């Protein structure tokens, strides 16, 4: 008759249990790491697939490509303003539809001159085109911090805040009001606030901002017509 050693059986069971636990843990870790690797790869591979060819005359394209080569050569020599050269690269590559390359150039310009605002504004415009509103907000706010008197930044932010997405730090109304605090009597901010209040049905505030706008731009016929309609 076979005698079963209970101690050996218990040890085997524990060994199997531990092996199972370690296997599950290993699978979990590999899954997480591979997923993270995929997300890392996807982030940067997607960036490179943003380049889309823009239709234009061959002669113009060749001139753009030549300017890119010249700018890169100057960057390599390091004897010119690196910021200006990267901005030039970003602008040309954007014109050619090379959005991924343009992003790289604007980001490099921002690294070289972190207190500038044009590179961050340009990045925000690309991100807005791509519907990457959270990233657009980030760089627009950076641009606003660097140049609070530039009204176009507030207008750009107001546009993306009119779109439905998560993670907004402001809304269209308060970013335009903030813009006016730094740009008193700016006609573009005033008219945009007037339109905003008109669209949400706040007639009193809409009239107020149309009137303020017309003090600065009395020749705006469209605003005069809108104001007359609201005052009926």
């Amino acid at each position: 008759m076979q005698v079963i050693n209970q101690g050996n059986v218990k040890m085997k069971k524990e060994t199997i249990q531990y092996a199972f636990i370690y296997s599950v843990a290993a699978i979990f870790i590999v899954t997480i790491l591979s997923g993270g690797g995929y997300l890392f790869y996807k982030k940067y591979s997607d960036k490179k697939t943003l380049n889309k060819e823009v239709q234009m005359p061959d002669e113009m394209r060749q001139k753009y490509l030549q300017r890119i080569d010249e700018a890169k050569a100057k960057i390599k020599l390091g004897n010119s303003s690196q910021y200006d050269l990267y901005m030039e690269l970003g602008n040309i590559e954007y014109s050619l539809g090379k959005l991924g390359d343009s992003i790289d150039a604007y980001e490099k310009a921002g690294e070289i001159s972190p207190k500038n605002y044009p590179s961050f504004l340009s990045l925000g415009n690309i991100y807005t085109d791509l519907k990457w509103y959270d990233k657009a907000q980030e760089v627009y706010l950076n641009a606003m911090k660097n140049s609070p008197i530039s009204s176009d930044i507030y207008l750009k932010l107001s546009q993306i805040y009119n779109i439905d997405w998560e993670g907004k730090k402001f809304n269209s109304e308060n970013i335009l009001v903030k813009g006016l605090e730094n740009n008193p009597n700016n006609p573009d901010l005033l008219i945009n606030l007037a339109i905003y209040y008109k669209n949400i049905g706040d007639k009193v505030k809409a009239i107020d901002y149309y009137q303020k706008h017309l003090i600065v731009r009395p020749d705006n016929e469209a605003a005069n017509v809108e104001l007359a309609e609201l005052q009926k």
Side-chain angles (χ1 to χ4, degrees):
M1 183 174 69
Q2 185 179 5
V3 178
I4 300 174
N5 188 319
Q6 296 296 328
N8 289 340
V9 171
K10 183 178 180 182
M11 186 177 296
K12 287 179 179 178
K13 286 183 178 179
E14 289 177 347
T15 301
I16 292 170
Q17 287 174 344
Y18 284 131
F20 176 75
I21 291 170
Y22 291 145
S23 298
V24 171
I27 292 170
F28 177 76
I29 292 169
V30 169
T31 301
I32 293 297
L33 290 176
S34 63
Y38 169 73
L39 291 175
F40 179 84
Y41 169 78
K42 186 174 186 298
K43 176 182 177 182
Y44 290 97
S45 65
D46 282 353
K47 192 175 177 183
K48 293 303 179 185
T49 62
L50 298 176
N51 296 345
K52 306 294 181 183
E53 185 174 343
V54 172
Q55 296 298 320
M56 64 176 63
D58 288 339
E59 184 180 353
M60 181 182 294
R61 184 183 304 280
Q62 291 307 314
K63 285 182 178 179
Y64 277 146
L65 293 174
Q66 182 180 351
R67 287 175 60 191
I68 288 176
D69 290 340
E70 290 171 354
K72 287 182 177 179
K74 289 178 181 177
I75 289 171
K76 192 173 181 179
L77 289 172
N79 57 359
S80 300
S81 168
Q82 301 290 294
Y83 166 79
D84 290 338
L85 289 170
Y86 277 109
M87 284 300 297
E88 182 182 4
L89 268 181
N91 294 339
I92 299 170
E93 286 164 340
Y94 181 80
S95 298
L96 288 169
K98 297 183 175 184
L99 299 188
D101 295 333
S102 183
I103 289 172
D104 286 339
Y106 289 138
E107 285 179 343
K108 188 65 179 177
E111 291 173 10
I112 293 168
S113 179
K115 296 297 183 182
N116 90 90
Y117 103 92
S119 73
F120 296 108
L121 181 66
S122 298
L123 269 176
N125 294 342
I126 295 177
Y127 292 147
T128 299
D129 291 343
L130 294 170
K131 297 181 171 53
W132 296 356
Y133 301 122
D134 55 338
K135 290 189 70 64
Q137 174 181 244
E138 178 186 346
V139 292
Y140 280 146
L141 289 176
N142 204 340
M144 183 180 74
K145 180 179 70 175
N146 290 346
S147 183
I149 62 170
S150 298
S151 62
D152 48 352
I153 301 169
Y154 302 95
L155 296 172
K156 295 289 187 179
L157 280 165
S158 175
Q159 289 172 8
I160 65 171
Y161 288 148
N162 278 326
I163 301 166
D164 185 25
W165 56 279
E166 295 182 0
K168 299 177 184 178
K169 295 184 179 179
F170 296 93
N171 60 41
S172 289
E173 178 185 15
N174 54 35
I175 199 65
L176 290 171
V177 170
K178 185 177 180 65
L180 277 176
E181 291 172 1
N182 294 309
N183 303 268
N185 300 319
N186 181 279
D188 296 324
L189 295 170
L190 289 169
I191 193 66
N192 274 272
L193 267 170
I195 294 168
Y196 171 82
Y197 288 124
K198 177 195 169 189
N199 289 340
I200 67 169
D202 192 332
K203 192 173 180 179
V204 173
K205 285 187 177 180
I207 290 172
D208 181 40
Y209 279 97
Y210 272 119
Q211 289 174 333
K212 288 178 179 177
H213 169 78
L214 287 167
I215 291 172
V216 184
R217 291 280 176 81
D219 58 340
N220 187 336
E221 291 299 327
N224 277 297
V225 170
E226 290 291 345
L227 178 60
E229 287 294 321
L230 288 167
Q231 290 176 324
K232 286 182 179 178

